Amino acid sequence: MPNVTVIGAQWGDEGKGKIVDWLSSRADIVVRFQGGHNAGHTLVVDGKVYKLSLLPSGVVRGKLGVIGNGVVVDPHALLAEIELMREQGLSVSPRNLRIAENVPLILPLHSALDKAREQARGSHKIGTTGRGIGPAYEDKVARRAIRLCDLAEPETLDWKLDELLLHHNTLLAGLGAETFDKKTLTDSLLSLAPKLLPFMEPVWDLLDEARKSRQRILFEGAQAVMLDVDHGTYPYVTSSNTVAATAASGAGVRPSSVGFVLGIAKSYTTRVGEGPFPSELHDEVGQKLGERGKEFGTVTGRPRRCGWFDAVLVRRAVKVGGIAGLALTKLDVLDAFDEIKICSGYKLDGKSITSFPSSPAAQRRVEPVYEVMKGWKSTTYGAKSWADLPAEAIKYIRRIEELVEVPVTLLSTSPERDDTVLMSDPFEE
């Protein structure tokens, strides 16, 4: 059976949670393969709101959830999220959640370093969430990370903490921040071990058995392509690769397992934090998009910057992210506009360019080139079929398809999971 990989096609916050939740009804297993608890997915089910940061969205459907080795896990954040979901009536236990034994852990010192660095950057701040994601990935690459499997071996934990503290306390002291005590960290980790180790498993074996038995796997990405550490608006990016290819390495499966790649894009564009944003609107139109779309970050609570749909950015995400089809969300937010614009090209220093430049200085000088389309008078909110859509809304969707060079295969018309228009089932592609 084919698998599906879901990734963001803009700067995150595109509504991946609802789409993954909706698709998980067709899946057997849902896998998170990168990122940390700086990502947030909001699901609305029968009027009840679930906010997930680490748990795979499939837990709301009662599916088996897997956290892959490409994720960095804050143990305290994970356990708090599990407890919150239990309070909301969901069952989360080792029976329906498995965590890769080699997943790196985020420790309090990572968050402390993240915040101290951001403060030291002053006007050049990146806009991190301060949750320690970047420093945790640095430790992974530098081969000094504490991993979940280390909690089962106190001797290993002992010498690894020596190395970790030598590095981090030196940096923290240099930044004028408080340093960390080895015994306090050791005691904390050992107290967490009995709560976390029951979830541990070599998940690549589990996923390979699922492949052999032809189970459907849904790979769930965090953030989005334009926040990819290689392909995004560097340095205003996250600390992991967010493209679909990462699903294989971040879960421990063969590259062919990635399957159909579905990119999620809003019908307009938003961004949280710092960094270039060519189609950003600083006027009443941008404010109206934010108000109608309730644009606040799921994790940070920060208001999102808003602008018109940027087809140049999404087309780049399609190419480098391996996207085969788009799920277009929040079309109903555009119901109230007499005219709607699409950024279909750029100008840089007076010259037309066809792609987003890599240079941060050039990115900030980019000027959007807009196409103007007529708005629609009737509502798209809650539409469940193509026939429910106004003619002008269909024209808008068709133009997006032409510009980004892939079809729109799913359309979301409200936060409710059933308000979804399906043009083609990604699991059948």
Side-chain angles (χ1 to χ4, degrees):
M1 303 289 276
N3 299 327
V4 173
T5 297
V6 174
I7 60 173
Q10 293 160 316
W11 277 297
D13 299 306
E14 301 96 346
K16 291 187 294 296
K18 174 199 166 169
I19 300 300
V20 171
D21 169 59
W22 191 84
L23 287 170
S24 66
S25 65
R26 294 163 166 76
D28 300 296
I29 303 173
V30 182
V31 183
R32 269 286 306 274
F33 61 85
Q34 50 79 217
H37 65 307
N38 57 339
H41 292 164
T42 300
L43 285 63
V44 181
V45 183
D46 298 328
K48 195 169 186 178
V49 178
Y50 301 92
K51 294 190 175 183
L52 307 177
S53 292
L54 277 169
L55 294 174
S57 298
V59 298
V60 177
R61 290 272 190 180
K63 303 289 181 172
L64 175 61
V66 171
I67 296 177
N69 57 274
V71 180
V72 285
V73 173
D74 182 320
H76 296 283
L78 176 62
L79 292 171
E81 189 172 325
I82 289 172
E83 185 57 34
L84 178 61
M85 291 302 105
R86 287 171 177 167
E87 290 174 2
Q88 292 189 267
L90 297 179
S91 174
V92 183
S93 73
R95 290 190 300 275
N96 64 348
L97 175 66
R98 308 304 293 164
I99 306 174
E101 60 185 4
N102 55 341
V103 73
L105 301 181
I106 300 175
L107 307 183
L109 52 78
H110 292 126
S111 177
L113 180 59
D114 206 357
K115 292 172 183 176
R117 279 176 171 169
E118 188 75 340
Q119 184 176 0
R121 289 184 181 110
S123 61
H124 297 287
K125 64 181 181 180
I126 295 173
T128 76
T129 59
R131 300 194 171 202
I133 311 300
Y137 273 117
E138 289 177 41
D139 282 347
K140 173 183 175 178
V141 175
R143 296 165 292 187
R144 58 175 170 260
I146 303 298
R147 303 190 298 174
L148 181 57
C149 56
D150 295 332
L151 301 189
E153 299 177 358
E155 299 83 2
T156 300
L157 192 61
D158 183 70
W159 68 261
K160 291 189 78 169
L161 279 174
D162 283 334
E163 182 180 2
L164 197 67
L165 288 169
L166 175 64
H167 176 81
H168 283 274
N169 278 343
T170 302
L171 289 175
L172 288 166
L175 290 165
E178 186 177 350
T179 58
F180 283 78
D181 173 68
K182 179 183 176 181
K183 184 177 186 307
T184 302
L185 272 178
T186 302
D187 291 346
S188 174
L189 288 171
L190 291 178
S191 70
L192 290 169
K195 301 174 184 177
L196 293 171
L197 292 177
F199 293 97
M200 185 174 75
E201 183 169 344
V203 300
W204 47 91
D205 281 341
L206 182 156
L207 294 173
D208 192 55
E209 289 302 316
R211 176 191 63 83
K212 292 175 182 176
S213 59
R214 299 181 63 79
Q215 294 184 67
R216 287 175 166 178
I217 303 172
L218 182 61
F219 296 97
E220 175 184 10
Q223 291 92 30
V225 174
M226 296 313 297
L227 291 174
D228 184 281
V229 69
D230 285 309
H231 301 291
T233 48
Y234 191 91
Y236 304 98
V237 293
T238 193
S239 300
S240 59
N241 289 109
T242 61
V243 295
T246 312
S249 60
V253 298
R254 57 188 65 195
S256 58
S257 298
V258 169
F260 183 90
V261 180
L262 181 69
I264 317 297
K266 274 181 186 162
S267 300
Y268 47 103
T269 310
T270 63
R271 179 168 196 170
V272 171
E274 308 297 321
F277 184 171
S279 67
E280 183 175 9
L281 298 170
H282 300 279
D283 56 11
E284 65 279 1
V285 176
Q287 183 178 351
K288 186 176 180 180
L289 283 169
E291 290 172 352
R292 285 184 55 81
K294 298 180 175 60
E295 295 296 351
F296 296 91
T298 299
V299 169
T300 64
R302 292 179 289 184
R304 297 173 184 138
R305 301 152 62 191
C306 298
W308 295 118
F309 186 89
D310 190 333
V312 183
L313 280 181
V314 176
R315 186 167 63 243
R316 174 166 176 171
V318 165
K319 292 178 179 179
V320 303
I323 294 169
L326 277 188
L328 202 62
T329 67
K330 290 199 168 185
L331 183 67
D332 55 289
V333 172
L334 301 180
D335 287 352
F337 294 87
D338 292 328
E339 68 174 29
I340 298 166
K341 295 182 181 180
I342 300 177
C343 174
S344 58
Y346 292 147
K347 282 192 175 180
L348 178 62
D349 301 331
K351 297 180 180 179
S352 296
I353 58 175
T354 58
S355 63
F356 197 61
S358 294
S359 160
Q363 289 173 356
R364 292 196 177 279
R365 300 199 308 275
V366 161
E367 299 176 20
V369 176
Y370 290 116
E371 293 182 10
V372 181
M373 301 191 70
K374 186 178 178 182
W376 46 89
K377 300 300 180 184
S378 54
T379 183
T380 62
Y381 187 89
K384 292 182 174 62
S385 72
W386 197 250
D388 294 336
L389 299 175
E392 296 300 331
I394 294 174
K395 289 180 183 178
Y396 180 70
I397 295 166
R398 293 304 189 205
R399 184 56 182 145
I400 286 175
E401 290 178 323
E402 292 172 353
L403 290 169
V404 304
E405 301 175 2
V406 291
V408 172
T409 59
L410 277 169
L411 189 67
S412 172
T413 57
S414 95
E416 292 290 342
R417 63 161 60 147
D418 292 330
D419 291 342
T420 305
V421 180
L422 177 66
M423 275 70 89
S424 62
D425 188 341
F427 277 113
E428 300 299 334
E429 293 294 329

